[in-house]
Amino acid sequence: MKYGVLYHKYTKNLGDDIQAYASSRFLPQIDYMVDREELDTFKSENNEAVSVIMSAWMFRKKWNWPPSQNILPLFVGMHMIRKGIEGKASPITNECFQGLGGDYLRSYGPIGCRDKITAKMFKKLSIDSFFSGCITLTLPEFEKTKPKKEYICLVDLPKDVEKKIKNKLKGKNIEVRTYSHINSDSKKPYYEMTWEERAKNVEERLKIYQNAKCVVTIRLHATLPCLAMGVPVLWVLKSPNWGRFNPYRKWVRVVSPKDIMKDNYDFDFVNPDPNSGDHLKTRKKMIKRIKKFINENEDKATIEDIKKTSFTEEEQKEFQFQLMKTALDKWLRPSMDMVNEIEELKRELKK
């Protein structure tokens, strides 16, 4: 069996690479990098079978579905993008899970989902699914070293919140470090880096978090790695009740930016209490499921060994053509409405 790492080549978010890194740790070796946005066009050498842990924020385009028949997928930690044009994503919604698109998921189910909203959506489409948690919960602890000066990490916090915490810690003999998960300070964009370079970036950041007194962040993929590594974490959410964050927000200490500004929270940055450990059951189940997948399929080598669907490549191409046509039609309508509005304004101005 060959093995591939699911990643997003053109991401600007370190969190995407943290997910890919977490998946890569389970593989006996890395033979391919599989772009989550090009799943349908992926080809292996000699049409060999490639095991891929399908764990990511997926379906921005939605017409790159279903994946290539070379891929043997394990769906775990999967999140379905529900955004349309306003979220810079394809305007189609569930069309990709009708017909053979849905049959594909049913064939390789049950589908492990990163959030309960995604699992619920699949169940409504008669696709067997469950909440698996996020792949980043499986990350290991890194070596703990004593820094020259103790520090905490503030990750992508609003500027006023960041300033508030820094002021609170003045004179406390602790360093306050600020970081971002957006690739803005790197010497070159992620897409120009090799996977080895990207993985090294992930490891360097995770080691920084590992040796911090605590991490305070808005990022899901800073929060969950800290849970996995046993680093005290405070999750700052504008809307602490967002459904897509269940049950994670019950596993960690959560606070709103407003409460930080009002000092309305119970968290000691210098001597934080450990995390609750409520994530451990989900972590153990995910690790067990992934290891079982790897062990059961290690002797499979060809498409014939892994294929569970009955549709042909021609039928898949026709399905994708119709998905793209639907997407273009949905894009065209608001575009034409906008053109008509502009023309109407022009006429009004001429009066």
Side-chain angles (χ1 to χ4, degrees):
M1 174 62 75
K2 300 295 184 178
Y3 300 91
V5 176
L6 186 69
Y7 81 132
H8 184 15
K9 181 176 181 178
Y10 295 100
T11 188
K12 295 180 180 179
N13 191 334
L14 181 67
D16 289 323
D17 278 1
I18 292 175
Q19 292 177 85
Y21 175 82
S23 295
S24 72
R25 291 183 53 257
F26 290 96
L27 306 181
Q29 76 271 349
I30 299 174
D31 301 297
Y32 296 96
M33 298 303 297
V34 182
D35 191 338
R36 75 184 194 197
E37 299 299 329
E38 305 295 339
L39 290 171
D40 57 324
T41 56
F42 171 78
K43 292 293 181 184
S44 60
E45 295 180 8
N46 303 316
N47 271 345
E48 57 195 2
V50 181
S51 285
V52 182
I53 300 170
M54 306 285 272
S55 178
W57 175 304
M58 299 175 70
F59 303 111
R60 184 166 292 280
K61 291 193 297 190
K62 303 186 184 74
W63 60 73
N64 59 328
W65 189 260
S68 161
Q69 295 183 13
N70 298 89
I71 292 175
L72 173 62
L74 172 67
F75 290 103
V76 62
M78 182 176 170
H79 173 64
M80 165 66 181
I81 290 178
R82 300 292 296 167
K83 292 181 178 179
I85 297 173
E86 76 288 349
K88 298 180 181 179
S90 166
I92 58 180
T93 52
N94 294 336
E95 291 91 339
C96 49
F97 304 123
Q98 308 295 332
L100 64 83
D103 291 341
Y104 179 88
L105 282 177
R106 294 183 190 95
S107 297
Y108 292 100
I111 309 303
C113 301
R114 197 178 85 185
D115 55 276
K116 292 187 176 181
I117 289 180
T118 297
K120 185 177 180 181
M121 183 273 295
F122 282 138
K123 285 179 180 177
K124 285 184 178 180
L125 296 170
S126 299
I127 296 169
D128 189 12
S129 60
F130 66 99
F131 171 74
S132 66
C134 178
I135 190 75
T136 58
L137 289 170
T138 68
L139 286 166
E141 290 189 12
F142 288 84
E143 181 182 359
K144 295 178 183 179
T145 58
K146 187 173 179 59
K148 292 181 180 179
K149 185 175 182 179
E150 291 186 326
Y151 63 91
I152 73 169
C153 297
L154 309 183
V155 185
D156 284 321
L157 295 181
K159 291 301 180 183
D160 57 344
V161 172
E162 184 181 292
K163 183 178 179 181
K164 177 73 174 179
I165 294 173
K166 287 180 177 180
N167 287 336
K168 187 180 184 69
L169 294 175
K170 279 183 178 179
K172 296 290 187 181
N173 193 33
I174 191 165
E175 181 184 357
V176 180
R177 300 183 183 182
T178 59
Y179 295 96
S180 176
H181 275 205
I182 302 303
N183 178 231
S184 56
D185 300 325
S186 179
K187 294 179 181 178
K188 58 182 178 181
Y190 286 173
Y191 64 84
E192 292 182 0
M193 297 181 185
T194 64
W195 171 245
E196 290 73 20
E197 291 174 313
R198 292 168 71 154
K200 183 179 178 182
N201 281 346
V202 169
E203 288 183 346
E204 288 176 350
R205 181 63 64 83
L206 293 178
K207 288 176 182 177
I208 289 171
Y209 294 163
Q210 180 72 81
N211 289 286
K213 292 289 286 185
C214 70
V215 173
V216 187
T217 182
I218 66 167
R219 296 288 179 187
L220 178 66
H221 292 116
T223 299
L224 299 187
C226 285
L227 274 184
M229 297 186 297
V231 180
V233 58
L234 180 64
W235 197 8
V236 180
L237 290 178
K238 292 181 179 178
S239 299
N241 294 322
W242 276 346
R244 77 181 183 91
F245 291 139
N246 287 336
Y248 306 123
R249 63 187 182 87
K250 297 179 181 178
W251 294 352
V252 297
R253 286 151 291 195
V254 177
V255 65
S256 70
K258 288 182 179 179
D259 284 337
I260 289 278
M261 298 306 292
K262 294 178 180 178
D263 291 318
N264 183 26
Y265 60 95
D266 181 20
F267 187 87
D268 187 339
F269 299 106
V270 180
N271 295 295
D273 292 329
N275 302 316
S276 68
D278 291 342
H279 69 289
L280 291 174
K281 184 177 179 180
T282 298
R283 169 189 165 94
K284 289 177 182 178
K285 284 184 177 179
M286 187 184 301
I287 291 173
K288 182 179 179 180
R289 187 165 187 250
I290 294 173
K291 287 183 176 180
K292 181 181 178 183
F293 168 75
I294 297 296
N295 292 335
E296 287 182 345
N297 296 294
E298 60 182 351
D299 295 329
K300 296 179 180 178
T302 68
I303 292 178
E304 288 69 27
D305 290 333
I306 66 171
K307 187 176 179 182
K308 295 183 179 181
T309 56
S310 58
F311 53 80
T312 65
E313 286 193 25
E314 289 73 20
E315 290 171 328
Q316 179 172 340
K317 289 177 181 178
E318 175 61 24
F319 176 77
Q320 290 171 321
F321 171 78
Q322 293 300 328
L323 282 180
M324 189 173 292
K325 183 176 182 299
T326 300
L328 290 173
D329 288 344
K330 287 192 172 185
W331 260 315
L332 181 61
R333 291 192 198 103
S335 298
M336 290 305 299
D337 289 342
M338 189 182 299
V339 169
N340 292 334
E341 287 179 14
I342 292 172
E343 293 300 320
E344 181 63 29
L345 285 172
K346 287 180 179 179
R347 286 192 290 271
E348 289 293 324
L349 291 172
K350 287 181 180 179
K351 290 181 180 179

